[in-house]
Structures are given as structure tokens and as C-alpha cells.
Amino acid sequence: MAYHDRVARLIPAVVVAALLAVLSAPAQAPAGKPNLNGIWQAVNTANWDIQTHGPSPGPPALGAIGTIPPGLGVVDGGELPYLPEAAAKKKQNFANRWTADPEIKCYMPGVPRATYMPYPFQILQGTNSIMIVYEYANAVRTINMGPPREAQVDSWMGWSNGLWEGKTLVVDVTGQVDQTWFDRSGDFHSDALHVVERYTPVNENVLQYEATIEDPKVFSRPWKMSMPLYRRLEKNAQLMEFKCAEFVEELLYGPLRRKVTKP
Amino acid sequence: MTYRVLLLVSITVPVWAQHPSFEGIWNSASLTPFQRPAELGNKEYYTEQEAAVYEKNKAQEVNRDRRDGGQEADIARAYNELWFDRGSKLARTRRTSMIIDPPDGRVPPMTPEARKKFQAIQEKFAVHPADGPEDRPLPDRCLMFSQSGPPMIPGNYNDLYQIVQTPEYISILAEMGNQVRVIPLDGRSHLPQNVQGWMGDSRGHWEGDTLVVETVNFRFNDRSRFGVQYDGMTDKNLRITERFTRTSPDSILYRAIIDDPTVYTKPWTMEVSLEKSEGPVYEYACHEGNYGLAGVLAGERVQEKRAAEQKGANR
């Protein structure tokens, strides 16, 4: 009897402890899966150039603000295996980068570039699907976690099928248009691009990101980039509305404005 | 014994299950009009029979593959039925309009000052519809659509939404224009008033099983409207309260209360039924493929040039 009483008195404490544990768990993910919920950002200069690069001058009027910052590359092995014709195209892209980079026009960046643009993005891990919302250009993609489905049409952010390999979220991305670049240096791909992304939690605040790039029309072999992604820890971190379409209107449509002729 | 049951329950019911889930793909398309036809007065619902008649007539009325009505009507239907996806039914509630308050189902009158301003805006755009990109309606610029919300007003096509929910956020992606809102549910305060967005600043909280989303800090301009079918107006005092409630395994009842005391003489409420859909939601790359805006501006310049030449010739 005394034993039972003691156990009975202990149980409420256990219940409270269990409840507290459940209630205080940060952004709990569906049972048994790692929790990738959060606002993340790459801290590197890959958006300028995915390969290691020194500093270089930008538009003179902008001085140090416009200077291209130096940075270590994110490509495993360093070199990109361009096919000969593609290497020439990349060179041409680089020469035209201040007008030809699709980022200038606020076009959706595609995958993997969206991951390492200098803006945060948010992973929302639901029960049946995972949505990634990027601050830049309000770009978004939903990862199908059900049975894999083929891309029905090409799109700017592609079609994503996801699955878990242990604690790694593996995302297979196909169906991307050929109009996005990998960086501001003119590294590019074709519509045959196939990206396999791997998001692996290293600790609570860091994800290791890898993207394997396969594009037989542009590259002689698959290659890989990798980088850590950091959690934005600001207490009120949130994605801000950044519909940059508005801010490129003068560039795109300025010449079509009504000209007011002076009398 | 009771304790043991309690213990089991507390372990097996995850935080996940504490609130209803809105996750999935939803479709808001219906034949329900935004405002109630004046002749219906305060009649809120159709009977089943009336609904069948309405649906049949409406489908015929809006059909854009019709070739009757003369040349002008024919040209106006150039965007033919292929483009449209508005469903063939009234919303499941069989309401006679999306607006449910005021009781006449119509947007309340504007305040005298707002009306004056609105008329001036209309007059300006009648003469200068496309001097530059900022003179065009927000959908032309790929910035906002009636579906984007708040409030989420169905349009003629692309009325799909994809919702993903976590304990701390809910994300609503409107297929139309690829517009997405990520709404924090953790009780944080709004952004400072100097930060304004076309979709405003949304914060959500639970009232029982209803998700309530409050949005303020709207960016607006002379072209800001609530929907393409309705010439509304907004200003900096706009506050929208949305209520999402699961009413069946296949639907969400969506309500939005629009309160803008310097534009409308009283708040008004609209209601839409979001129906479960198979999807998929496609990427609507609006800005990336926006040939329309350049075309509209270029066309306007050509017309100006012609008008100037005409004037010169008549001199």
C-alpha cells in the first residue's frame, strides 16, 4: 500500500516533467525526423563567385560599397569541369556579367543559387511536405516528400522530390529552366541540370549543405559544392517582404516611360 | 490508474496535434460573386434548387467561348474559356455573396473624403493610364493579386493555395503570382510602422481551433485594390483580421474582416470556402515572363505618338 502511494505521488511529477519537455521543445518536427525548421543563411561570397576569388573593383561610382569581396570557393576540388564550348560561354557571361546576370532583373535564382544568396531563407517542415521560402524575390519551392513525381513543366525553382537518409534531407531537383546562373560571375547550366541537395544537421544551429551538380550539356562530369548554413539566431528573426520586381522597373521599363516634352 | 492514463496521453500526443492542421493544397474557386446582386437584398443563402439554377445561368453568362453579342463582346472574350478555372459551383455554403457583413452583402460606402480621393484617382488614370510602370495596377507589375491576400479573394483562375504549418509558423503560398506569406504564431509584436509591405505584416494566434491572423503595415498606392473585380481602395489605416477554421475534412472556412476607418464607413467581412485539392501548385513566374507590362507601356507610347501626329495634321 505504502509503495503504491509513493508511486502515485511520484506520477504527477513525472507527468508535469513530460508535459514540460513536450511543450518546451523548440519547433518540434514530425515524429522521428530531424528538425530543420528555422531561418537559415549562408555566410560566404559564393553568390559573387562559387570559386575562390580575390577582390576586384565594381562600378567606380560605388567605391568600396561596390567592390567585389574576396572569398574562398565552395566547389569541391576547386575547378569546374566545363566542356570546351561551355567554357567559352562562361567567359562571355563573365564579360557581360553587369548586364546579363539574371539577378540584376530580380528573376528567381534557381537551385542551388537560392541557398547562398546574401538573404535568409526559411525551412518550414510540415507533416507531408517541406516548404522553403527565400527572402530574395519571394522565391519559394515546395519539396514533395511523398512518392517521387516527375517535373511536369520546367520552372525557375525546379521540381523537388525529397527523402530522408538517416538525419540527412536529400532533395532531387530537376525541371529547371536554363536561364539561371550559379553566381554573379557567369557560371551557368543548361535545362539538363540535375541537382541533388543534402541538408545535414551538424548541431542545433548549423546545417551542412551539399549540392551535386550534373549537367551533361555543360559539364564533362558531375561536381559538388558544399558549405555550412547558419541559423539566424536573432530573437525576432523573420523573412522580410522583398519583392525586388518593383526595384528593377526603371531598368526594365524606364525607356518606355511617357516623355514629357517641354513647351 | 488515472495518473497512468494521463502519463500515457501526455507522452503520445505531440505538440503537433494541439491545433488543427491547415496543411495541404486548397482551392478557393467558386461561382459565388464578391458582392451580392442588389436585387437579392438581405437574402444570405440560396436554397439547393435556387443554387442549381444560379449555377447553370452563371456558367452560361460568364462563358467566354460564346460568340454571340456582337463584335465588341466577342473581342472582350479574347481571353477564352481555356484561361479560366472558376469552378462550376457556388461555395459549399450556398451563400449569395462572399461579403457576409454588412447584411446587404455589399462593400459599405466610402467616407466622403475617401470617395473624393478615389474619384480623383480614377480621373487621373482615365487620362494617364500608363505613363510609367507605377501607374499600372499591381497585378500588371507582378506585385500583388487579389488571391495573394490578405484578404484572399478568389479570382478567375489560379485560385490554389499551398499551406505548410509548423508549431511556430504557418506559410501560405498563393499560386497566383507565386506570392507567399510566412506568418509567425509566437505572439511577437508587429514590425515598426515604417516598414510596409504590399502584403502587410501578419501575426497569427489561436482562438480555440481557429487560427486568427492580424495584418497591419500595408504598403499601398493609388492602384491598390482588394481584387480585380472590385474597385476598392486602401490607405495606411487598413487592418485585416483573418480567421481560418476547419469545418470538414475537406474544407477550411476563411473569413476576413476589413477595417479601414478612413476609407470605409464601417468594417466589412468576407467569407470564402477553401476546398481540398489534389493540386499540384505550379510555379507562377509572373515577373520573369512579364511581357505584358512592356507591351502596355509601348502601346500607350504608340497611341500618344499617333495622337500627336493627328494633332499636327489637323493644325
Side-chain angles (χ1 to χ4, degrees):
Chain A
M1 192 66 201
Y3 170 75
H4 281 105
D5 272 349
R6 217 164 45 221
V7 171
R9 252 182 265 121
L10 269 174
I11 287 173
V14 174
V15 170
V16 168
L19 267 174
L20 276 176
V22 170
L23 290 172
S24 60
Q28 190 151 322
K33 301 286 185 259
N35 181 4
L36 305 187
N37 276 311
I39 300 176
W40 305 91
Q41 192 166 340
V43 183
N44 58 37
T45 59
N47 190 48
W48 280 106
D49 190 341
I50 53 176
Q51 292 178 279
T52 302
H53 55 278
S56 54
L62 291 177
I65 290 179
T67 301
I68 294 151
L72 296 172
V74 295
V75 179
D76 287 13
E79 282 307 302
L80 293 175
Y82 278 113
L83 292 166
E85 253 177 62
K89 171 92 188 298
K90 140 82 194 194
K91 224 171 163 179
Q92 191 191 353
N93 284 350
F94 182 80
N96 299 331
R97 66 194 185 282
W98 293 108
T99 50
D101 181 358
E103 185 188 349
I104 291 173
K105 295 180 180 169
C106 177
Y107 289 170
M108 281 185 269
V111 180
R113 189 175 182 180
T115 314
Y116 48 83
M117 290 195 71
Y119 303 86
F121 63 91
Q122 182 161 2
I123 300 179
L124 293 117
Q125 189 172 339
T127 28
N128 299 316
S129 51
I130 296 178
M131 189 182 277
I132 307 186
V133 183
Y134 303 90
E135 185 172 271
Y136 168 76
N138 208 221
V140 58
R141 62 181 168 136
T142 308
I143 300 166
N144 165 39
M145 297 301 289
R149 287 159 72 180
E150 222 175 294
Q152 297 191 14
V153 287
D154 280 0
S155 60
W156 289 75
M157 298 301 289
W159 176 256
S160 296
N161 288 316
L163 57 87
W164 292 98
E165 271 181 27
K167 61 173 188 170
T168 301
L169 173 66
V170 182
V171 187
D172 188 283
V173 191
T174 53
Q176 296 201 61
V177 296
D178 62 0
Q179 292 165 70
T180 60
W181 285 6
F182 291 113
D183 55 25
R184 293 174 179 163
S185 296
D187 287 306
F188 75 105
H189 59 83
S190 77
D191 60 2
L193 177 65
H194 175 209
V195 182
V196 178
E197 301 175 280
R198 298 176 65 87
Y199 298 80
T200 309
V202 175
N203 61 41
E204 203 187 325
N205 297 319
V206 179
L207 300 176
Q208 183 62 24
Y209 178 77
E210 277 181 22
T212 303
I213 312 294
E214 196 182 6
D215 186 343
K217 291 188 192 169
V218 175
F219 301 109
S220 59
R221 57 169 169 84
W223 53 278
K224 202 169 87 176
M225 66 167 74
S226 52
M227 68 193 75
L229 302 171
Y230 302 95
R231 186 188 293 280
R232 291 291 299 259
L233 289 168
E234 294 89 334
K235 193 164 169 279
N236 290 333
Q238 74 161 90
L239 297 188
M240 306 281 283
E241 184 186 289
F242 183 54
K243 296 181 193 293
C244 50
E246 184 183 0
F247 309 117
V248 300
E249 285 180 337
E250 188 53 39
L251 178 75
L252 297 177
Y253 311 114
L256 294 171
R257 276 184 192 284
R258 175 167 183 251
K259 288 178 189 61
V260 185
T261 45
K262 289 188 184 113
Chain B
M1 187 59 201
T2 324
Y3 287 135
R4 243 170 271 173
V5 170
L6 236 167
L7 177 64
L8 271 176
V9 167
S10 72
I11 288 169
T12 52
V13 178
V15 168
W16 218 248
Q18 283 179 355
H19 295 296
S21 171
F22 297 98
E23 211 162 296
I25 298 175
W26 306 91
N27 190 345
S28 69
S30 81
L31 290 178
T32 309
F34 186 59
Q35 300 198 78
R36 189 175 308 149
E39 64 269 20
L40 290 179
N42 284 6
K43 180 182 170 70
E44 284 185 89
Y45 298 95
Y46 287 117
T47 63
E48 215 165 307
Q49 277 170 326
E50 288 168 338
V53 173
Y54 172 90
E55 284 163 358
K56 189 162 167 267
N57 292 344
K58 191 74 178 176
Q60 168 67 9
E61 180 195 319
V62 296
N63 187 329
R64 298 177 77 99
D65 285 346
R66 285 164 57 181
R67 304 301 304 270
D68 61 320
Q71 204 176 27
E72 208 153 305
D74 205 33
I75 292 168
R77 295 184 193 125
Y79 250 67
N80 64 16
E81 204 60 18
L82 172 79
W83 294 87
F84 288 78
D85 191 11
R86 44 175 117 64
S88 55
K89 298 255 170 220
L90 283 163
R92 67 163 64 202
T93 54
R94 291 203 308 269
R95 280 192 181 271
T96 52
S97 59
M98 288 183 220
I99 295 186
I100 60 169
D101 182 64
D104 66 356
R106 303 187 66 83
V107 177
M110 288 186 193
T111 62
E113 300 78 36
R115 175 152 299 284
K116 223 167 111 188
K117 190 183 163 201
F118 184 65
Q119 274 161 2
I121 289 170
Q122 298 294 78
E123 281 161 24
K124 177 181 84 175
F125 287 129
V127 186
H128 294 288
D131 283 6
E134 55 286 334
D135 296 318
R136 298 307 301 160
L138 299 179
D140 282 23
R141 305 166 68 193
C142 299
L143 294 176
M144 278 291 277
F145 295 84
S146 72
Q147 291 93 333
S148 319
M152 308 194 307
I153 304 176
N156 286 318
Y157 40 81
N158 296 103
D159 290 323
L160 290 182
Y161 295 92
Q162 178 138 25
I163 298 181
V164 176
Q165 186 177 340
T166 75
E168 292 169 329
Y169 292 91
I170 188 162
S171 180
I172 306 174
L173 165 64
E175 181 180 63
M176 189 71 184
N178 208 45
Q179 310 273 318
V180 61
R181 255 197 300 169
V182 184
I183 304 164
L185 308 175
D186 56 6
R188 68 178 73 183
S189 50
H190 282 287
L191 289 171
Q193 280 181 351
N194 66 312
V195 183
Q196 292 163 349
W198 294 108
M199 298 172 89
D201 184 48
S202 294
R203 300 287 184 258
H205 67 270
W206 295 95
E207 284 178 14
D209 282 346
T210 295
L211 173 70
V212 182
V213 179
E214 301 269 0
T215 306
V216 295
N217 293 5
F218 285 97
R219 192 150 173 230
F220 65 96
N221 70 4
D222 286 348
R223 286 289 200 181
S224 295
R225 300 288 184 269
F226 288 115
V228 282
Q229 307 99 322
Y230 167 67
D231 274 341
M233 190 173 82
T234 64
D235 73 3
K236 65 177 171 21
N237 297 316
L238 177 62
R239 180 178 196 96
I240 293 176
T241 307
E242 297 166 285
R243 300 177 66 86
F244 296 79
T245 312
R246 286 302 299 263
T247 42
S248 84
D250 302 325
S251 69
I252 298 172
L253 188 75
Y254 170 81
R255 281 188 179 176
I257 301 159
I258 291 90
D259 189 8
D260 193 336
T262 42
V263 175
Y264 298 101
T265 43
K266 55 182 159 183
W268 46 281
T269 305
M270 58 164 285
E271 180 188 288
V272 167
S273 190
L274 298 168
E275 301 291 333
K276 200 153 203 113
S277 166
E278 285 297 308
V281 170
Y282 287 100
E283 177 187 274
Y284 191 122
C286 178
H287 169 65
E288 290 76 1
N290 194 355
Y291 299 98
L293 183 52
V296 166
L297 294 172
E300 196 65 16
R301 299 297 82 81
V302 168
Q303 289 198 331
E304 277 165 9
K305 199 169 157 220
R306 279 194 195 144
E309 284 165 3
Q310 192 72 34
K311 217 170 150 188
N314 289 346
R315 209 167 261 170

